[in-house]
Amino acid sequence: MAVENITFWLDVVTLALALLSLILLVKNREYEKSAFETSINVLLFALLLMVLVKTIDVLSLIENVYPGVLDAIGIGDYMGNLVSINSVILLPLFAICLLVAVIFAKDTFSKIE
Amino acid sequence: MVMEILLPVQKYLTVVLLFIAAFMWLLLRKDRGEEGLSPLKINRAYTILVLLLLPYLVGVFSNFSEDIALVGRSFLTTLVFLSLIVVLVKLNKKSSKERTNYLKELLKESKKHPIRYEFARKIVVPELKKLHEKEEEIAKKKRKLDAKNKADQTALKSREDKIKKDILRYEGLEKYVNENLKLSETKKKSSEEKEKTAEAKLADIKRLQHSTDKKEDELIKKAEELKQKIKEYNDKEKELEDERENYKKEINKKSNETISRIKFEATQKIRHREAKFNILEEGVIAMRKDVLRREKNISPRVRRIERREKEVESRMSRIRMKESEIREALDNLQILKKKMSKEEKELNDAKEDFEDFRIDTESKQRKIDRIKEIYDKKNEALKRRESELDNLSSELNKRKRNLDEHEKRIAIKNKEAVLMKNKLKKEIEEAVLDKNKEKSDSDLGDIISEKPYKSKKANGGRR
């Protein structure tokens, strides 16, 4: 129970930090060269996916900390599907986006040379 | 079943993809170094995000219990995002500071920052274009308004003129009608007078008839007298009688004709005048009716004119308002123009600065080109000299080789010469020995060396 509690709160903090980092990254995008715009956009999309992943993680863990919350919201029945979507689609997509962002950045560096 | 297989596979796939991304990025970082990645300001954010591999690696490949792995994964993720936020906040502060510095530098007139030109080119010039376009639009609107005002004024003037003309025409018509009335009255008077004159004429005619009657009586008297005379003159009497009868008839005819003609003419004239008078009377009545109708028609027109005058006044007031607005807009425009002229001056200054800079750079470039050309020429000359030197060295080498060969040949010839010399010496010695032998044969007691003796013996033997 304590472990789940700790994980839940850590995930909540992570979600908040991910959201904040998304906003800061959007702000920082203004100061970047236009050549890197594509790469940064892909990175932003990856971060958005991470936010979604963390949201689903938080939702999956909230039931353990505050039982009956999901049923009260009305998404208790879909949680299993959401968790499976999370690990089957969203996480690999996040990894792909990160990889694509790195590839784009590398390409841009080579073009700048 | 499919999900049970797919879930771990996807987890591994995620880890593999993240690993590839991390590997690529860290390799790039290693190749380029911190300075090489400086074009991308948020390169540290990439590095930290790539480190998200660690929590997933812990989640998949750890030997710890599930709970510890879960907590560890969450903790690592939190740490990664925390560090990401710290880095992003720092970067944001730094970048915003740099930007504000750039902007401050832009405001300084003394510094020639490249962004100034870019700023002038990308921001000031389009704004100036927009201002020009607005100016043109306002000028067009003003022209349109002026044209409209002029057209309205001309239309109003033409309407006023028309109305004035109508009024004048109506006044003229009124006058004409009055005159016609007066004329008809005068004509009536004149017709009455003419009637009187006709009556007088009739009286004259009657008087004439009376006089003719009198003359007839006189003539009858004279005829009676003449009858008496005719008696005397019978031939002449008949003729005179015929003449008299003819004359009488003619006179009667003429008198009747003239009377009837004058009567007819007078009656005709009277009738004609009466008809004219009737027509005139009818015309006058019709004119009166027309005048009344027109008066009736004019009254709404007058009302309309008054209404239009009011409308015109209101329009004029509106136009004045618009004029005042236009004046205000013109004042604003002048202010804008002044601003624009100031900005243009500044731009021109900037352009001049830029031109100076460009000219300097061009002159420098030309100098560099000249130096380059000179350098190229020198380089070419050096190459030519090098090639000449190479040729010379190759010739020298050839000559050296020739000399060496020559030396060798000379050495061989020297050797041959030495050998020849030795040979000749030997022959000379032999010849001398032969001479000496001949002498010793002749002169006994000469000592002969063993060598010439042997050779001599050998020669003698061969022989």
Side-chain angles (χ1 to χ4, degrees):
Chain A
M1 190 68 187
V3 172
E4 282 163 355
N5 247 332
I6 291 163
T7 318
F8 169 73
W9 285 116
L10 278 172
D11 273 357
V12 168
V13 171
T14 311
L15 177 64
L17 290 173
L19 266 169
L20 203 65
S21 60
L22 192 72
I23 293 159
L24 282 168
L25 205 61
V26 169
K27 274 189 179 177
N28 268 300
R29 189 172 58 164
E30 290 170 15
Y31 306 118
E32 290 297 334
K33 285 180 181 174
S34 56
F36 290 104
E37 206 173 4
T38 327
S39 172
I40 294 166
N41 284 338
V42 177
L43 197 74
L44 277 168
F45 188 67
L47 262 176
L48 188 74
L49 286 168
M50 196 63 203
V51 167
L52 278 173
V53 167
K54 281 290 139 192
T55 313
I56 291 164
D57 279 350
V58 167
L59 284 172
S60 67
L61 287 168
I62 202 167
E63 188 63 30
N64 299 322
V65 184
Y66 303 106
V69 175
L70 290 175
D71 290 329
I73 300 163
I75 52 165
D77 300 331
Y78 312 111
M79 270 323 290
N81 294 327
L82 274 175
V83 170
S84 50
I85 285 166
N86 193 12
S87 46
V88 173
I89 298 166
L90 293 177
L91 267 172
L93 204 60
F94 161 74
I96 287 164
C97 284
L98 202 66
L99 181 64
V100 170
V102 167
I103 288 165
F104 274 140
K106 199 181 170 184
D107 274 359
T108 316
F109 275 121
S110 59
K111 274 178 193 171
I112 283 170
E113 275 186 346
Chain B
M1 187 68 185
V2 176
M3 288 300 279
E4 280 172 11
I5 300 162
L6 207 62
L7 269 168
V9 168
Q10 291 292 72
K11 271 184 185 175
Y12 282 112
L13 184 74
T14 310
V15 169
V16 168
L17 286 168
L18 283 171
F19 182 77
I20 293 164
F23 183 74
M24 279 178 80
W25 181 255
L26 292 172
L27 205 69
L28 187 76
R29 197 179 158 78
K30 195 190 166 189
D31 284 345
R32 289 180 176 272
E34 192 77 28
E35 284 178 5
L37 295 175
S38 59
L40 183 65
K41 283 176 187 170
I42 54 162
N43 62 70
R44 282 183 185 174
Y46 273 73
T47 313
I48 290 161
L49 269 172
V50 152
L51 288 177
L52 270 173
L53 165 73
L54 294 172
Y56 290 100
L57 211 64
V58 168
V60 176
F61 296 106
S62 65
N63 293 320
F64 307 112
S65 67
E66 204 178 317
D67 287 342
I68 294 167
L70 197 70
V71 172
R73 207 178 82 174
S74 296
F75 185 69
L76 279 171
T77 317
T78 315
L79 264 181
V80 166
F81 274 102
L82 200 69
S83 53
L84 181 68
I85 283 210
V86 169
V87 166
L88 282 174
V89 166
K90 274 186 179 177
L91 275 170
N92 196 28
K93 274 184 184 174
K94 195 182 162 189
S95 301
S96 64
K97 224 176 189 178
E98 273 179 14
R99 184 58 65 88
T100 44
N101 282 332
Y102 274 128
L103 292 170
K104 275 177 187 172
E105 277 177 10
L106 271 175
L107 288 169
K108 284 175 189 170
E109 283 183 6
S110 58
K111 284 200 173 181
K112 289 177 185 175
H113 202 279
I115 285 172
R116 270 171 75 93
Y117 303 116
E118 203 178 334
F119 180 74
R121 205 171 52 245
K122 285 190 176 172
I123 294 159
V124 178
V125 173
E127 289 295 321
L128 275 171
K129 276 181 186 173
K130 276 181 192 172
L131 267 171
H132 280 300
E133 281 169 6
K134 272 186 183 175
E135 232 182 65
E136 280 172 8
E137 272 181 19
I138 288 161
K140 272 182 187 175
K141 278 181 183 174
K142 203 192 157 190
R143 263 179 258 146
K144 274 183 185 175
L145 264 170
D146 286 342
K148 215 179 175 182
N149 283 340
K150 276 180 183 174
D152 285 344
Q153 277 175 356
T154 48
L156 282 166
K157 273 182 183 175
S158 63
R159 275 176 188 170
E160 269 181 12
D161 292 340
K162 229 178 180 182
I163 289 155
K164 277 176 185 173
K165 275 177 187 174
D166 283 343
I167 288 161
L168 284 168
R169 202 152 56 87
Y170 293 132
E171 281 173 2
L173 277 167
E174 224 174 339
K175 277 179 187 174
Y176 179 70
V177 167
N178 291 327
E179 278 170 5
N180 274 327
L181 280 166
K182 281 174 187 173
L183 261 170
S184 62
E185 280 170 5
T186 49
K187 276 177 182 174
K188 210 177 172 182
K189 281 175 186 173
S190 65
S191 62
E192 280 170 356
E193 279 171 4
K194 276 176 183 174
E195 230 176 323
K196 280 175 187 175
T197 48
E199 277 172 2
K201 274 180 182 175
L202 268 169
D204 286 342
I205 289 157
K206 276 175 184 174
R207 243 180 283 140
L208 269 169
Q209 216 174 356
H210 194 70
S211 65
T212 48
D213 287 339
K214 273 181 182 175
K215 275 177 184 174
E216 216 175 22
D217 290 337
E218 280 174 6
L219 277 167
I220 290 159
K221 279 175 187 175
K222 276 179 182 176
E224 279 172 359
E225 283 173 4
L226 275 167
K227 270 177 188 176
Q228 284 172 0
K229 283 180 182 177
I230 287 163
K231 280 174 187 174
E232 293 171 1
Y233 303 100
N234 282 324
D235 292 330
K236 282 186 182 179
E237 196 183 30
K238 280 179 184 176
E239 285 176 6
L240 276 168
E241 234 176 349
D242 288 330
E243 276 179 6
R244 190 180 61 86
E245 274 174 6
N246 284 331
Y247 187 63
K248 199 180 175 184
K249 275 178 188 174
E250 274 179 9
I251 286 164
N252 280 330
K253 244 186 199 177
K254 276 182 182 176
S255 64
N256 286 327
E257 272 177 8
T258 47
I259 289 158
S260 62
R261 191 163 45 83
I262 288 159
K263 265 187 179 177
F264 182 71
E265 275 178 6
T267 48
Q268 280 288 321
K269 272 181 183 175
I270 288 156
R271 274 175 197 164
H272 190 66
R273 275 171 190 171
E274 272 177 356
K276 267 188 177 177
F277 182 70
N278 288 329
I279 289 158
L280 279 167
E281 249 186 355
E282 279 172 5
V284 167
I285 290 156
M287 273 178 174
R288 270 180 189 168
K289 280 178 185 174
D290 196 29
V291 166
L292 285 167
R293 189 168 48 78
R294 278 181 180 171
E295 268 180 356
K296 277 177 189 174
N297 286 330
I298 284 161
S299 59
R301 277 187 185 176
V302 168
R303 265 178 247 143
R304 247 182 276 154
I305 286 156
E306 282 171 1
R307 222 185 303 140
R308 274 179 186 170
E309 271 180 352
K310 279 176 187 173
E311 279 178 11
V312 167
E313 276 177 6
S314 64
R315 273 185 189 175
M316 285 296 279
S317 64
R318 260 181 260 152
I319 286 158
R320 274 170 209 142
M321 292 270 281
K322 275 180 184 173
E323 266 185 288
S324 63
E325 281 175 7
I326 287 158
R327 271 175 203 150
E328 276 182 13
L330 277 168
D331 291 338
N332 289 329
L333 247 172
Q334 277 179 345
I335 291 158
L336 277 169
K337 267 184 185 176
K338 279 175 188 173
K339 276 184 185 174
M340 267 172 59
S341 60
K342 269 185 187 176
E343 283 171 351
E344 269 184 78
K345 274 177 191 173
E346 283 173 9
L347 240 176
N348 286 330
D349 291 340
K351 270 183 186 173
E352 281 170 9
D353 290 339
F354 180 67
E355 276 290 315
D356 293 338
F357 179 69
R358 196 174 59 80
I359 289 158
D360 285 339
T361 46
E362 276 179 355
S363 62
K364 277 176 185 173
Q365 189 66 38
R366 266 181 239 139
K367 276 178 188 173
I368 288 159
D369 288 337
R370 256 180 264 145
I371 290 160
K372 227 179 183 179
E373 278 175 10
I374 292 159
Y375 175 73
D376 287 336
K377 278 177 188 172
K378 280 181 180 176
N379 217 8
E380 277 176 10
L382 274 168
K383 276 178 185 174
R384 250 182 277 138
R385 278 185 185 176
E386 262 183 8
S387 61
E388 281 172 9
L389 279 167
D390 286 334
N391 290 331
L392 283 167
S393 65
S394 60
E395 276 180 16
L396 275 168
N397 285 330
K398 270 183 189 175
R399 279 184 185 179
K400 206 178 176 184
R401 264 179 253 143
N402 288 334
L403 278 168
D404 287 338
E405 279 173 7
H406 210 69
E407 268 182 359
K408 277 177 189 173
R409 263 184 251 146
I410 288 162
I412 291 159
K413 277 184 180 177
N414 270 337
K415 273 181 185 176
E416 281 175 355
V418 167
L419 283 169
M420 283 282 281
K421 209 178 172 182
N422 288 336
K423 247 184 188 177
L424 281 167
K425 262 185 181 176
K426 274 178 188 173
E427 279 176 2
I428 290 160
E429 277 173 3
E430 277 176 2
V432 169
L433 276 170
D434 282 338
K435 273 184 182 176
N436 285 336
K437 200 182 173 183
E438 281 173 2
K439 274 183 183 176
S440 65
D441 281 339
S442 56
D443 304 320
L444 290 166
D446 280 354
I447 300 159
I448 308 159
S449 65
E450 203 176 346
K451 217 174 178 179
Y453 175 71
K454 277 179 183 175
S455 62
K456 209 176 173 180
K457 207 178 176 181
N459 286 328
R462 273 177 211 160
R463 274 175 206 167

